[in-house]
Amino acid sequence: FLNDGLDPLEEDEGMIGFYAEEERQKQSLENESIPSDVKLRQYFKFCIETDQSVYGEGFRLAARAYASMGMQELLYYVALNHDFPPDNFS
């Protein structure tokens, strides 16, 4: 995805995990009537949000950056800098 040899695992997996969760959220709006799907999505979200590995940390960094700058700016920033923006970036 964004691999250039500069320790990309956190950025790559964080962005992939975050995007996957965003897509699951969109799908949940379409399939709210199926209880097992709702519970499964809640479980996946809990797992990635609480994961202590590089995957969970990358997801949390991506989610914070997305909340402050949106997807287009976040993708641009990560592509240029090969890292997530600092928390105080605006």
Side-chain angles (χ1 to χ4, degrees), residues 2-3 10 23 28 35-36 46 55 60 64 80 84 86 89:
L2 301 172
N3 189 344
E10 191 172 83
E23 287 300 308
S28 72
S36 62
F46 171 79
Y55 302 102
R60 289 185 291 278
R64 279 195 301 268
L80 284 179
F84 289 111
F89 182 83

Side-chain angles (χ1 to χ4, degrees), residues 5-54:
L6 297 174
D7 189 30
L9 189 58
E10 191 172 83
E11 292 84 16
D12 286 357
E13 296 302 333
M15 290 300 298
I16 290 166
F18 180 74
Y19 186 76
E21 181 55 35
E22 287 294 300
E23 287 300 308
R24 274 194 289 273
Q25 292 292 336
K26 287 179 189 174
Q27 290 175 5
S28 72
L29 297 174
E30 299 168 4
N31 299 319
E32 285 180 339
S33 62
I34 304 172
S36 62
D37 286 352
V38 172
K39 288 188 182 279
L40 186 59
R41 283 190 298 275
Q42 289 171 341
Y43 172 74
F44 284 138
K45 185 174 183 186
F46 171 79
C47 286
I48 193 67
E49 286 177 340
T50 60
D51 187 344
Q52 296 302 307
S53 73
V54 68

Side-chain angles (χ1 to χ4, degrees), residues 1-6 8 11-12 15 74-75 78-79 82-83:
F1 182 68
L2 301 172
N3 189 344
D4 70 347
L6 297 174
E11 292 84 16
D12 286 357
M15 290 300 298
L74 174 57
L75 290 172
V78 172
H82 309 287
D83 199 358

